[in-house]
Amino acid sequence: QKEVEQDPGPLSVPEGAIVSLNCTYSNSAFQYFMWYRQYSRKGPELLMYTYSSGNKEDGRFTAQVDKSSKYISLFIRDSQPSDSATYLCAMSEGNFGNEKLTFGTGTRLTIIP
Amino acid sequence: GAVVSQHPSWVICKSGTSVKIECRSLDFQATTMFWYRQFPKQSLMLMATSNEGSKATYEQGVEKDKFLINHASLTLSTLTVTSAHPEDSSFYICSARGRDSYTDTQYFGPGTRLTVL
């Protein structure tokens, strides 16, 4: 069993729709939960991070962590074609700046104009 | 700010040759650099962690004699794939972490696509 499971998609939604991306994990020691966006042939770009359980909102993006269920989500409101990319969840046991990151496989998202 | 570059962006080489990939932090000093590998439709896997002036720490299953990492300065780390074989073909991505609060996270480079013929 992989430590982090993520549906690879692809996921296609019409512009303006709400997008829900999810990951599950098995390591209860994970404390930091991150979402990265990766465009084709580019490196990952940090979108949001949360520490422990709870919600965090940043503009059109909301990250949600449920440690009891070992489940994290990223919601994108009012989706735009520019949101089309691969979204990676990542987790770490300690401060994600200097700790090993464990990534999901990524979900490829396409927003249809 | 917090820009990380990689060179080359892509490279094709013959089996048995060695390839060097550079990772640079352009506008900050990177105390720690990380090297990841990403196979098609798979997740990024950490290969090794290097601190400036120290030997790299390799993840289990990664051959340190095959993947040589040098972190000689606070802005440059190199990964050399020695005696490359077709199974080493992959997307190699580095990340860098700085020493101040603004750069105290991992910033990723754009990646290097290696194809071994």
Side-chain angles (χ1 to χ4, degrees):
Chain A
Q1 181 190 10
K2 293 180 184 177
E3 276 193 290
V4 179
E5 298 275 1
Q6 184 177 9
D7 186 341
L11 178 64
S12 295
V13 299
E15 182 176 356
I18 296 176
V19 176
S20 172
L21 303 167
N22 312 291
C23 290
T24 58
Y25 63 95
S26 57
N27 183 352
S28 57
F30 286 141
Q31 295 289 333
Y32 288 83
F33 304 90
M34 285 69 69
W35 285 96
Y36 288 85
R37 178 173 60 196
Q38 185 177 21
Y39 292 110
S40 181
R41 300 183 182 278
K42 302 290 185 184
E45 170 194 12
L46 179 65
L47 275 177
M48 298 183 70
Y49 75 91
T50 52
Y51 172 72
S52 198
S53 285
N55 292 1
K56 186 174 183 179
E57 189 173 317
D58 184 1
R60 296 185 295 112
F61 298 89
T62 300
Q64 199 171 73
V65 174
D66 182 349
K67 290 192 71 180
S68 63
S69 302
K70 295 189 177 67
Y71 187 88
I72 72 170
S73 301
L74 177 71
F75 298 98
I76 307 174
R77 291 184 299 280
D78 188 24
S79 54
Q80 306 292 313
S82 58
D83 295 327
S84 298
T86 296
Y87 289 80
L88 302 151
C89 64
M91 306 173 191
S92 66
E93 295 183 15
N95 185 321
F96 64 96
N98 56 8
E99 287 282 327
K100 169 184 175 180
L101 299 181
T102 302
F103 283 87
T105 54
T107 300
R108 179 174 288 184
L109 172 68
T110 301
I111 307 299
I112 305 166
Chain B
V3 178
V4 177
S5 70
Q6 281 185 241
H7 178 80
S9 56
W10 59 271
V11 58
I12 301 173
C13 69
K14 292 182 179 180
S15 184
T17 60
S18 294
V19 175
K20 180 184 282 188
I21 301 170
E22 292 185 350
C23 175
R24 293 182 185 272
S25 56
L26 297 185
D27 51 2
F28 68 100
Q29 294 184 324
T31 52
T32 307
M33 286 186 169
F34 304 82
W35 286 96
Y36 293 83
R37 180 168 52 181
Q38 186 178 31
F39 291 108
K41 299 189 177 183
Q42 294 188 28
S43 53
L44 277 83
M45 297 294 292
L46 180 66
M47 299 175 65
T49 303
S50 73
N51 294 297
E52 186 263 340
S54 303
K55 288 186 178 180
T57 302
Y58 290 80
E59 293 298 303
Q60 191 173 10
V62 177
E63 300 174 58
K64 61 180 180 180
D65 294 330
K66 180 171 182 61
F67 299 98
L68 301 179
I69 292 172
N70 186 295
H71 191 164
S73 77
L74 285 171
T75 59
L76 173 65
S77 176
T78 60
L79 167 68
T80 301
V81 183
T82 62
S83 187
H85 290 284
E87 58 266 28
D88 299 322
S89 299
S90 186
F91 194 51
Y92 292 85
I93 303 178
C94 71
S95 69
R97 169 183 174 261
R99 60 170 84 224
D100 59 39
S101 59
Y102 178 74
T103 56
D104 189 19
T105 184
Q106 292 188 39
Y107 289 92
F108 285 83
T112 297
R113 187 162 300 280
L114 169 64
T115 301
V116 184
L117 303 176

